Amino acid sequence: MPMQFWIIQSLNSLALGGLLFLLASGFSLIFGLMRIANLTHGAFFMLGAYFGATALRSFDWIDLWVAAIGSGLALAVIGGFLERFVLRKLGNNPQGQVLVTLGMSFIISDACLVIWGGDPIPIPTPHALQAPTFLFGFAFPTYRLVLVGCAIAVAIALYLLLERTRLGAMIRAGVDDMQMTRAIGIPISRLFTVVFCLGAGVAGMGGVLGGPILSAYPGLDADMLPLALIVVILGGVGSLVGAFLGSFIIGFTYTFGSALFPDLAYVILFLPMIIIIAFRPQGLFGRRAS
Amino acid sequence: MNKIWFWVPIVAGFFALLPFVAGDFYVNLGSQMMIAAIFALSLNLLVGYGGLTSLGHAAFLGVAAYLSAWFTTRAGFGHGTAALLSIIGTTMCAALFGLIALRASGLGFLMITLALSQVLWGLAYRWVSVTNGDNGMAGLTRPMPFGISIESAASFYWFALIVTVAAFVLITVFVSSAFGVSLKGTRDQSRRMAALGFNVWMIRWITFIYAGFWGGIAGLIYVYYNKYIHPTSLSITSSAEGLLGVIAGGSGTLVGPIVGSVLVTFLKNYASSYIDRWNMLLGFVFMFIVIVMPDGIVPGIRRLAGRLKEPRK
Amino acid sequence: MTAQNDIYALEIVRLNKSFVGLPVTQDVSMTVRPGERRLLLGPNGAGKTTLFNQITGEILPNSGQIKLFGQDVTKLKPHQRAHLGLSRTYQIITLFQNDTLQHNVAFGLLGLMPARWNFFRPMSQHILVEARRVLGLVGLEHLADRPISEIAYGEKRRVEIAMALAQKPKVLLLDEPLAGLSSAERNTIKKLIADIPRETSLVMIEHDMDTALDLAETITLLHYGKVIIDGMRDAVIADERAREVYLGH
């Protein structure tokens, strides 16, 4: 295999890893804080992609970045509604909550099919980023480099939010010990909504940012959700670092698996998951439930 | 308990009359209901009796169906051998998945089962050389059990009915046994069960394998019925339909999953013949059931009947 | 003493356990002779229940050893230890809410019988008969067919004990068997415990001194996960340190 292959595939892995992080970080935070396995998360990602594609088609003045932020905000609002008006009602029934998010994901993905049809809608790469970047004598697709940068920026932003702000301190406290957090008077209810909006928003933004590579198509949710699940199982629920590392492990495994053994890429995904579950059922950075 | 054994032949006999009074369309619908019922009965072992909500049970339906298709068309085996090998293969797959998924319980278990089945779903799509990918595997045949053809709608229906009755009886025996009682114990108080001397993990694993076995049987009947298999049979929608059948009918009850699957199958056919928006409807029904009647139909009716009886005392 | 008597029913050797850096069991050693009645004392958070959980195997220690009748069980699973004659009750009622009392106690019997692996036949009649007999021992035979959810709290406490007694354990750990009971109910349970045959060694956590001290022969006092004093009842009661930590206030 030529050097170019390895380098390009590595970059592709990083790009996929970045996208997975945008999806999995929110899923992981929601699960860690609220004990909800939000199966609508893949649908949020897809809905974000469709919103972005539609906005880019309809308005000339919108560029990819504006579309990404707009989609993120729209998904945050949708997520907030789902949390406040549906999930809230099933407060102490975790199984019911999962099933409701599953039902919601069916509704959203079928609604997307009705509205946007069965054909993929491309999301164009911004003009400025279409030309390849030359580094050390190799040509790199510029957008993918930028995408990795975006994912890292989001990761840093989330990290700072969690570690350096009052809100973050409250979220961390909630993940650590819900009862204690409630006891010292932190408004858990509002915290739940905030985290759910945040998770949904980041997923929606991820859908748009992934658009130039993946485009928006029916089934995008079903393609992405299992990858995100595996990332979270691997990294450990509720851990941002775990989601980050897990995303890139899966990004590499899946990309190189697809390139080298196209038929069996999905089976290769098994491997890191099985190894981790066998030796550390709580995931790389997860804490064992007491 | 004895009441059930009294009713089984009567109800089965009643169902056996369907082909005499209804056209092929309804008889075929009946066959689909039987397949869904076997599938839901097997899933109920985990969800209802084990307290282990699996979102990946379609994996076993799909694996058995694909194995049978592959053994009969590619490997050139006869139906008998193919069926045996498919069920053995599926049961072994369940044993492996159980080893992985039962490292966790609760939501972790749910996520791992979902991830595992999605991996198989992706495999069915991508491993084109074996599964024929998105085109699915067509041109399959039905077996001739004991030399009897099950090509006609009615004969297949009776075949499916016999298997369903067998599944119901054997699953009922299983959950009523001392082992089944222990299984329910692990669902309600797993810590205490361990302290009392029960090997909770082993109980769950055996149940997982048994559920996988019956999921495989459902898959065989499914592929015989359709004479075709496509990756969507492994999809999360397929798992979710089974789960909806269990929950709508009443998880942890003996007949609930049958009632639920009859309803889901009916709804699915009705929806696809009129509005073609099955997934959306499935989503709404899911949310409705979970929010409005989380216990399911059978316990709901039982409670209602109890309330009617109560005032007489 | 014969060689046989040298074997302790329960022996704990230098046990250590910490949760996220917080030590909850520190270098705990303790021995229980066959038939002994030992009381485990200590203020809240002293690590008593955590010690129980390590003895039963629900929590694994970081280091140290646990032996039942000389056999090292440190690495064994909870169900394996149950089969060696270890049984326990819970401070927080841990019963099968929707099942009958008879059924609850039957679980205790079934757990130690090979019949629990029978996939074809329901629980045999003689298990149910025996369960009823054990319920009779705690005075609840008349409620045998009622579900747990319908009986009173004090009665649930007695079912907790019945479940353990059904197993005829060699070592029985009682975790606050009197918690939340009225004084009349306490006397009932006290008598129940006093009547447990000497084939069973007892280790009991209990805060109700009046009752607990009557039942105990030996006392281990824990404080912040450490053994402060260990000895015969009267000696421990008289000890200055015990007064400081626990009895004094």
Side-chain angles (χ1 to χ4, degrees), chain C residues 92-108:
Chain C
I92 299 163
I93 303 272
T94 310
L95 299 171
F96 303 86
Q97 281 293 322
N98 302 319
D99 293 322
T100 61
L101 272 65
Q102 184 182 35
H103 201 101
N104 269 266
V105 176
F107 268 133

Side-chain angles (χ1 to χ4, degrees), chain A residues 31 35 39 95-96 98-99 102-103 106-107 110-111 113-114 222-223 226 229 254 263 266-267 270 277-278 281, chain B residues 53 55 100 103 107 110-111 114 116 118-119 121 123 126-127 129 236 240 243 247 277 279-280 282-284 290:
Chain A
F31 192 108
R35 311 311 292 172
L39 300 181
Q95 179 183 297
V98 184
L99 298 180
L102 179 68
F106 286 152
I107 295 170
D110 214 27
L113 194 60
V114 174
D223 280 341
L229 280 178
Y254 187 62
D263 284 352
Y266 260 82
V267 177
F270 256 129
I277 290 174
Chain B
T53 309
L55 261 180
I100 302 167
R103 297 286 293 179
L107 290 176
L110 182 142
M111 279 162 53
L114 175 56
L116 288 172
Q118 288 290 91
V119 167
W121 169 79
L123 188 67
R126 308 289 164 84
W127 200 6
S129 58
I236 179 171
L243 190 58
I247 293 173
R277 288 266 72 88
N279 271 344
M280 195 178 288
L282 181 65
F284 277 115
V290 170

Side-chain angles (χ1 to χ4, degrees), chain A residues 65-164:
Chain A
W65 315 112
V66 176
I69 289 168
S71 274
L73 290 175
L75 262 304
V77 172
I78 293 174
F81 269 100
L82 177 63
E83 201 279 323
R84 277 263 130 169
F85 297 110
V86 184
L87 294 176
R88 186 59 55 93
K89 301 229 182 308
L90 299 163
N92 39 24
N93 174 5
Q95 179 183 297
Q97 287 177 324
V98 184
L99 298 180
V100 160
T101 63
L102 179 68
M104 198 68 203
S105 79
F106 286 152
I107 295 170
I108 291 179
S109 65
D110 214 27
C112 286
L113 194 60
V114 174
I115 298 170
W116 286 287
D119 294 325
I121 303 177
I123 293 180
T125 309
H127 279 292
L129 304 176
Q130 279 173 358
T133 301
F134 290 93
L135 275 177
F136 316 112
F138 294 104
F140 291 98
T142 308
Y143 183 74
R144 290 178 192 230
L145 287 172
V146 173
L147 179 61
V148 176
C150 286
I152 292 174
V154 170
I156 292 172
L158 282 175
Y159 180 80
L160 292 177
L161 175 77
L162 282 178
E163 298 294 326
R164 294 290 152 81

Side-chain angles (χ1 to χ4, degrees), chain C residues 157-176:
Chain C
R157 279 257 160 255
R158 280 194 263 167
V159 179
E160 277 275 338
I161 294 174
M163 254 171 123
L165 290 184
Q167 303 203 297
K168 300 201 173 74
K170 292 187 195 137
V171 176
L172 174 56
L173 312 179
L174 295 166
D175 195 347
E176 298 200 31

Side-chain angles (χ1 to χ4, degrees), chain C residues 18 35 45 69 96 142 146 159 176 199 204 217 225 229 246-247:
Chain C
S18 52
F69 295 95
F96 303 86
H142 61 292
R146 298 274 286 278
V159 179
E176 298 200 31
E199 286 78 62
M204 177 166 66
E217 297 165 354
I229 324 164
Y246 200 76
L247 302 169

Side-chain angles (χ1 to χ4, degrees), chain C residues 81-237:
Chain C
R81 301 184 197 200
H83 285 266
L84 293 175
L86 181 66
S87 192
R88 76 170 293 180
T89 67
Y90 290 86
Q91 179 197 348
I92 299 163
I93 303 272
T94 310
L95 299 171
F96 303 86
Q97 281 293 322
N98 302 319
D99 293 322
T100 61
L101 272 65
Q102 184 182 35
H103 201 101
N104 269 266
V105 176
F107 268 133
L109 296 161
L110 187 64
L112 299 181
M113 298 169 78
R116 70 188 183 284
W117 296 115
N118 193 322
F119 300 93
F120 305 102
R121 317 195 69 136
M123 249 193 274
S124 67
Q125 205 54 42
H126 89 261
I127 295 185
L128 297 174
V129 170
E130 171 67 9
R132 241 169 219 281
R133 189 190 69 81
V134 177
L135 277 171
L137 293 181
V138 301
L140 291 176
E141 202 177 352
H142 61 292
L143 295 175
D145 296 322
R146 298 274 286 278
I148 296 288
S149 53
E150 287 180 11
I151 64 171
Y153 177 80
E155 290 159 347
K156 289 181 191 171
R157 279 257 160 255
R158 280 194 263 167
V159 179
E160 277 275 338
I161 294 174
M163 254 171 123
L165 290 184
Q167 303 203 297
K168 300 201 173 74
K170 292 187 195 137
V171 176
L172 174 56
L173 312 179
L174 295 166
D175 195 347
E176 298 200 31
L178 305 172
L181 295 181
S182 71
S183 70
E185 290 167 330
R186 275 203 294 268
N187 278 327
T188 315
I189 302 260
K190 180 181 170 185
K191 185 162 180 324
L192 264 177
I193 296 174
D195 286 346
I196 293 175
R198 284 280 160 172
E199 286 78 62
T200 302
S201 317
L202 285 185
V203 183
M204 177 166 66
I205 298 174
E206 187 47 63
H207 287 295
D208 175 2
M209 285 306 151
D210 297 336
T211 314
L213 290 180
D214 284 349
L215 292 168
E217 297 165 354
T218 49
I219 296 178
T220 301
L221 180 61
L222 285 178
H223 192 39
Y224 292 119
K226 279 190 198 134
V227 177
I228 303 284
I229 324 164
D230 180 312
M232 298 306 287
R233 178 185 60 189
D234 295 339
V236 172
I237 294 172

